[in-house]
Amino acid sequence: MTTMKWPLMVSAAREVERTMGTPQCRKFRRQIFERFEAVAGDLVCGAVAVATVHGRSAPSTPGNAEANTWLRIMQKQLMLGPFNVTHEDQALEDYARAKADAMVAAQERHHRKARAGYAKARRRHFWRFALPADTRFAGLTFRRRVWPTSRDAEVESLREGLEIAHKHSLDVAPVVELNRLSGAQRRVMLSKLGSAPWWRRKLRTLANRRLDQFMRMVRRVHKRAGIYVSDMVFKRWQRRQNENLEMLEGTTAVNQFEQEYTLAELSAKSVGNRDIRFKETMMRIRETEAFAHRHGHRAVFVTWTLPSAWHAVLQESGQSNPKYNGSTPREAQAQLQKLWASARAKLKRDGIAYYGIRTVEPHHDGCPHWHMLLWVAEDQIKQLEDSLRRYALSIDPEEVAGKEHIRIRFEHIDPAKGSAAGYVIKYVAKNINCTQRGDEVDQYGRPMDVAAPRIAAWASVHGIRQFQFFGLPSVTVWRELRRLRDPDDDSFATSCFEDWIAATKPDPEALAILHDLRRAANGSCWDKFLELCGGPCVPMIERPARPWRMIRLDPKGEAVDPKSGEIRVDLEKLGIYGEPVETTIGITVTSATGEASFMTRVYRWEIKPTGAGGQRSGAAAEPWTRVNNCTGPDIEPRQPGPQEAHEQEKRYKAWRASTEVRAEMEGLEEYEHQLSAALHQKFDPQPEWGAPEYFPPELESFEETTGPVEDQGPAPQNPVTAESQALWQLLISSAEAEQRRGLGIDDETALRLAAMFFEPPAERQERSNWSSLMLGINRKRMRSPRGGQMSAEEARLIAAGLWVAPAPTTPFSTQHA
């Protein structure tokens, strides 16, 4: 399908579509075409094609209904909730920002609701202390009361946000698992849902996948149109690559020596550079082949593809495949991984050891297939081939009966005719998108410099890993070892390594192993490195070296959390969503006599926009080849300078002036006001009653030690007697503290007994002191993490004091006491 023919095809299809169905049908289709204007031509041609096919198969019905049904399916494919995937990037950014703002507003709404509910419950239930459920005292049943908390607000906000994310088909945690999340995990997820960049990244990724799959379904991805990936998605990917390059060129990294480089310069010196990645990959393949040759292992090249139902179009004509099951490239890749996992389990059960590399590349219609270069013992080749063939043919075996090589093909590499590295170099170069083999063409006749970028775009858009080594040591260990340069190459790194050895005094045997591994890595001897790591097919835990990872530290981080105003007590570096950042900082080496860790990243880099400071290095200062983000933390306490102290005070005042804090303070003031009113009401004179005074069981053994007290007027609610005055002095006097301890009554229990069983002091000043004391106790309990709830013993005493009956009787019997 050429560019010149496409407008004519669309024009002809529009003429046919105007004659299809009723006016209501044409209006329905016109609304869809207007909504998806960027792909309206594809929708028109597709609808006409569907109607034509069904009209041909059933002449009595022109196929109008089938065309409308097809359009509804395509409309669903092109929508992520309310978002149209054909919109440009600016519309996507605006939509992501609106979703993030809506989520922040929802979180604030749920927190306000929780705070209001908590304040209401406080005002209503403060004097009703909670006990465990079904606890009974004197015929009363104490029921558990749940107080509204910030956790409830977080859970509700998270539930609402995840439901919205699921409506947009985003891959996030299920709503049913919210109660299993910790507080930190909930806050991280809420930060993501309230972040516009998070929404933008998720929506952009899924929108490009949906759009490319739509193009596959309307036959715009094949060797006669946009090969491997659709032209529209490929242009989007190229634009994003250019924007990323501009960002790297506009961002600077400065180390502790004031050497400054753009991120683009540093990326060009690392494996982020496709040419360097190609050389490293080919070196590993070549050196692994040398190791296999020394040990007598044979190389087998395997090509594995899926049945025809996973292909959107026919290979020769480019027409729609009638067997197509509608699968996406990611679903096809997942199916290959499932079959490979079953085959690996079978090989492990049979004791067949293999190692090598797997590459993934697309067919012309975007359906993935695998190429694997495997090394295996010569006497196990037959078993390996039989196992792989069995699982490759487990799906639709009748489709390739007698010609199984179409599904899976094995090629034995003869060292006399050529090397394994030479056999796979074309596949590696094509998938890495480098310039090493620009003069070659792919299997469809496209030049490599044309095919390679489209393959890279296909893998990037659909999130498919192109290369994977298996059965071999960790390449991370290899790369970390290459940071430990010789003194002539990097004197600072060498001196840091020597200082580390002197400070940590590692196990001598582990240090010797490290030096052997280091010499192999710096000499680019992967086969020697493979030997030192125990050979192929060895579990990672049994290898002598593994990456050393830890939470990154941030000694220069803010001492006060800008969101909550809390003082930070740790040095962990937090990501943009509040999660701890884990990073590789070195290598851990295990020997027969011990284990030792060695730091390999000794440079500290600060990222900032270009032109924000630092000094560009000249010819005398060659750029370092790797970015090192971790050094030993500086944990010395520091006194903030005047400017920093001013900023901290400014943040604190802003926090105190925030809506949430003001609401909290207003609720606290209202509560204190009601508490004070309740205490005054309690201490007001009560109507006379003639009941005898009640003595709590804790004071039954107390003997009277004071003389009689003169009658001072009518008896109050609890008559004031000589005994009550003596008991009152026992409970509140500091001189009687020793006797209280002998009776087993602590200070808080004594104060509560005095408040519950006796009248307040007669003197105004003493009553004022008593009121202040009780107010302080209740304030303290209100600020407690348990929300003011009391223990069972305390609640029993309070229940006795608050007992209400027609006549003052003993609240509960002796066995309850």
Side-chain angles (χ1 to χ4, degrees):
M1 184 187 307
T2 63
T3 306
M4 295 180 61
K5 290 182 179 180
W6 177 245
L8 298 177
M9 294 175 60
V10 174
S11 178
R14 288 187 181 277
E15 294 295 330
V16 175
E17 186 273 332
R18 293 190 183 100
T19 64
M20 292 169 49
T22 64
Q24 290 79 8
C25 291
R26 291 192 289 272
K27 180 180 179 181
F28 162 75
R29 291 194 293 268
R30 204 160 42 245
Q31 290 174 347
I32 293 181
F33 299 154
E34 291 174 356
R35 175 179 295 180
F36 306 104
E37 184 177 359
V39 293
D42 300 283
L43 292 171
V44 171
C45 292
V48 171
V50 170
T52 302
V53 170
H54 285 275
R56 188 183 304 117
S57 60
S60 58
T61 59
N64 178 68
E66 289 78 6
N68 292 344
T69 301
W70 181 85
L71 283 175
R72 291 189 184 95
I73 296 174
M74 294 301 103
Q75 181 181 16
K76 185 177 179 180
Q77 175 69 25
L78 292 171
M79 296 296 293
L80 292 175
F83 180 70
N84 184 344
V85 302
T86 64
H87 284 166
E88 292 298 326
D89 205 57
Q90 185 58 51
L92 186 145
E93 292 184 2
D94 295 339
Y95 185 83
R97 192 178 301 109
K99 282 298 172 186
D101 293 343
M103 280 307 308
V104 172
Q107 294 177 35
E108 294 177 352
R109 183 178 70 252
H110 286 295
H111 278 283
R112 285 197 302 270
K113 182 178 178 181
R115 285 193 297 270
Y118 183 77
K120 182 178 179 181
R122 272 282 186 195
R123 292 191 296 269
R124 181 178 180 183
H125 300 294
F126 181 78
W127 295 105
R128 303 178 185 178
F129 297 92
L131 278 177
D134 300 329
T135 303
R136 297 181 63 84
F137 290 114
L140 297 178
T141 300
F142 293 84
R143 292 175 296 179
R144 184 181 299 278
R145 185 182 306 110
V146 180
W147 297 69
T149 63
S150 60
R151 178 186 182 277
D152 300 329
E154 290 177 356
V155 170
E156 290 302 319
S157 301
L158 199 52
R159 179 176 287 108
E160 180 178 340
L162 292 179
E163 289 176 354
I164 295 174
H166 288 151
K167 289 180 181 179
H168 289 77
S169 303
L170 301 186
D171 184 16
V172 291
V175 178
V176 296
E177 298 182 358
L178 294 184
N179 292 327
R180 303 179 186 177
L181 300 177
S182 65
Q185 290 173 325
R186 290 195 303 271
R187 287 187 287 273
V188 168
M189 294 187 68
L190 287 172
S191 297
K192 291 180 178 179
L193 291 170
S195 170
W198 183 86
W199 279 95
R200 182 175 65 245
R201 182 171 58 255
K202 288 285 187 180
L203 289 173
R204 178 183 289 131
T205 298
L206 196 53
N208 287 336
R209 292 175 183 172
R210 285 286 190 94
L211 183 57
D212 194 59
Q213 177 62 15
F214 166 78
M215 289 298 184
R216 295 180 72 230
M217 298 172 74
V218 297
R219 300 188 300 112
R220 296 299 298 276
V221 181
H222 54 85
K223 60 185 178 182
R224 289 183 172 83
I227 192 169
Y228 305 130
V229 67
S230 64
D231 291 336
M232 180 179 293
V233 173
F234 180 61
K235 291 178 181 177
R236 287 188 175 187
W237 179 81
Q238 284 183 315
R239 184 167 59 250
R240 289 297 305 163
Q241 293 295 109
N242 293 334
E243 292 174 357
N244 291 341
L245 181 59
E246 292 178 2
M247 184 274 295
L248 293 177
E249 292 176 345
T251 308
T252 302
V254 183
N255 61 21
Q256 63 265 48
F257 299 109
E258 295 299 323
Q259 293 172 316
E260 179 180 338
Y261 310 95
T262 65
L263 295 187
E265 292 173 334
L266 295 174
S267 176
K269 296 293 184 179
S270 69
V271 291
N273 185 324
R274 294 183 179 273
D275 288 337
I276 294 178
R277 195 192 318 168
F278 170 79
K279 294 175 182 178
E280 182 190 74
T281 303
M282 291 307 304
M283 180 274 300
R284 294 170 66 189
I285 295 174
R286 184 183 65 250
E287 294 287 307
T288 303
E289 182 181 17
F291 173 90
H293 183 71
R294 288 201 308 271
H295 290 79
H297 297 164
R298 294 290 302 276
V300 180
F301 189 77
V302 184
T303 302
W304 192 340
T305 188
L306 287 170
S308 62
W310 300 81
H311 296 265
V313 299
L314 301 176
Q315 180 173 354
E316 298 300 331
S317 62
Q319 297 298 316
S320 297
N321 180 13
K323 299 181 180 179
Y324 181 47
N325 58 14
S327 60
T328 66
R330 282 180 65 84
E331 293 169 345
Q333 173 72 359
Q335 180 62 37
L336 282 170
Q337 289 174 330
K338 182 180 178 180
L339 295 175
W340 172 242
S342 300
R344 285 191 294 109
K346 170 65 174 173
L347 294 173
K348 184 177 182 179
R349 290 194 300 269
D350 295 342
I352 300 175
Y354 60 92
Y355 54 99
I357 181 177
R358 181 209 72 191
T359 66
V360 183
E361 64 179 16
H363 287 288
H364 67 110
D365 63 345
C367 178
H369 65 282
W370 287 10
H371 297 295
M372 293 187 290
L373 179 61
L374 306 177
W375 283 280
V376 66
E378 190 168 2
D379 59 344
Q380 295 181 332
I381 292 179
K382 182 67 167 56
Q383 290 178 273
L384 180 138
E385 292 181 355
D386 291 342
S387 297
L388 296 185
R389 186 180 293 108
R390 169 189 172 185
Y391 288 100
L393 300 179
S394 62
I395 305 177
D396 299 338
E398 68 283 350
E399 186 179 80
V400 292
K403 44 184 179 180
E404 290 84 359
H405 65 277
I406 296 177
R407 185 75 53 81
I408 186 168
R409 184 171 65 252
F410 301 94
E411 300 177 52
H412 295 186
I413 298 178
D414 186 358
K417 297 182 179 179
S419 66
Y423 201 91
V424 301
I425 186 172
K426 181 176 71 172
Y427 301 100
V428 175
K430 181 167 63 172
N431 284 276
I432 288 185
N433 184 23
C434 67
T435 59
Q436 301 294 328
R437 314 279 291 187
D439 55 338
E440 296 187 3
V441 297
D442 65 359
Q443 59 181 328
Y444 303 107
R446 299 293 196 286
M448 197 70 74
D449 57 350
V450 174
R454 298 188 74 98
I455 293 175
W458 169 84
S460 175
V461 167
H462 294 287
I464 294 177
R465 182 177 179 177
Q466 292 177 277
F467 299 95
Q468 183 175 11
F469 286 84
F470 38 79
L472 298 175
S474 169
V475 71
T476 302
V477 173
W478 168 272
R479 291 169 181 168
E480 293 301 317
L481 287 167
R482 290 175 63 84
R483 295 178 186 273
L484 301 177
R485 294 291 186 178
D486 294 329
D488 295 338
D489 298 329
D490 192 341
S491 58
F492 176 69
T494 302
S495 63
C496 288
F497 178 72
E498 293 173 352
D499 293 342
W500 178 270
I501 298 299
T504 60
K505 296 180 175 57
D507 177 70
E509 186 173 343
L511 181 59
I513 293 174
L514 177 75
H515 283 310
D516 292 340
L517 293 171
R518 176 185 177 184
R519 282 190 291 269
N522 286 332
S524 298
C525 301
W526 176 268
D527 60 338
K528 180 64 175 177
F529 176 75
L530 180 55
E531 289 275 8
L532 294 171
C533 288
C537 306
V538 176
M540 176 64 69
I541 195 172
E542 297 179 11
R543 296 194 183 275
R546 64 181 185 274
W548 178 23
R549 297 181 61 81
M550 66 175 294
I551 301 298
R552 186 180 296 176
L553 303 180
D554 186 19
K556 293 187 177 181
E558 295 183 350
V560 179
D561 190 331
K563 294 183 178 179
S564 64
E566 298 176 349
I567 297 176
R568 293 182 57 188
V569 296
D570 52 42
L571 296 174
E572 291 184 354
K573 182 176 179 59
L574 302 180
I576 59 175
Y577 303 119
E579 74 280 21
V581 179
E582 188 178 20
T583 185
T584 300
I585 65 170
I587 304 168
T588 298
V589 179
T590 305
S591 68
T593 58
E595 183 178 278
S597 297
F598 302 91
M599 182 176 289
T600 59
R601 305 196 177 195
V602 296
Y603 290 98
R604 183 174 63 251
W605 296 89
E606 180 182 355
I607 306 300
K608 55 186 177 181
T610 298
Q615 181 178 359
R616 294 289 298 163
S617 56
E622 291 296 328
W624 306 109
T625 58
R626 289 169 177 82
V627 178
N628 302 281
N629 295 315
C630 184
T631 61
D634 178 14
I635 59 175
E636 289 293 330
R638 55 192 178 89
Q639 185 70 21
Q643 181 65 25
E644 186 177 357
H646 174 71
E647 293 295 331
Q648 291 180 357
E649 184 179 4
K650 183 179 178 181
R651 287 196 300 271
Y652 172 74
K653 290 181 179 179
W655 174 72
R656 287 298 302 266
S658 64
T659 306
E660 294 82 0
V661 177
R662 288 203 308 271
E664 191 74 23
M665 297 301 295
E666 290 172 1
L668 181 61
E669 292 174 0
E670 181 180 359
Y671 165 71
E672 291 183 350
H673 175 72
Q674 294 190 2
L675 179 61
S676 178
L679 288 172
H680 283 296
Q681 182 179 1
K682 181 177 179 62
F683 295 147
D684 284 342
Q686 300 294 325
E688 177 182 348
W689 76 10
E693 184 177 12
Y694 168 70
F695 285 86
E698 290 86 349
L699 305 179
E700 288 178 354
S701 61
F702 177 73
E703 297 180 358
E704 178 182 355
T705 58
T706 60
V709 180
E710 297 181 1
D711 187 8
Q712 298 182 359
Q717 175 182 353
N718 291 328
V720 178
T721 64
E723 292 83 358
S724 67
Q725 287 283 6
L727 293 176
W728 178 264
Q729 292 297 326
L730 171 66
L731 291 173
I732 67 172
S733 174
S734 59
E736 304 292 342
E738 194 68 31
Q739 189 170 0
R740 284 199 302 269
R741 284 195 292 271
L743 294 172
I745 302 175
D746 60 20
D747 292 341
E748 186 175 353
T749 303
L751 292 173
R752 292 195 177 279
L753 288 171
M756 291 184 290
F757 299 120
F758 298 94
E759 289 296 316
E763 295 294 332
R764 179 180 181 86
Q765 183 60 38
E766 294 180 6
R767 186 162 60 244
S768 176
N769 294 340
W770 172 253
S771 175
S772 300
L773 181 62
M774 290 301 297
L775 182 61
I777 292 174
N778 288 301
R779 278 178 176 171
K780 177 182 177 181
R781 186 165 299 284
M782 180 187 66
R783 291 194 297 268
S784 68
R786 295 187 297 168
Q789 295 188 3
M790 307 184 73
S791 66
E793 182 67 20
E794 292 172 328
R796 186 176 64 182
L797 296 174
I798 295 298
L802 299 180
W803 179 260
V804 177
T809 59
T810 303
F812 44 80
S813 58
T814 306
Q815 64 262 25
H816 288 295

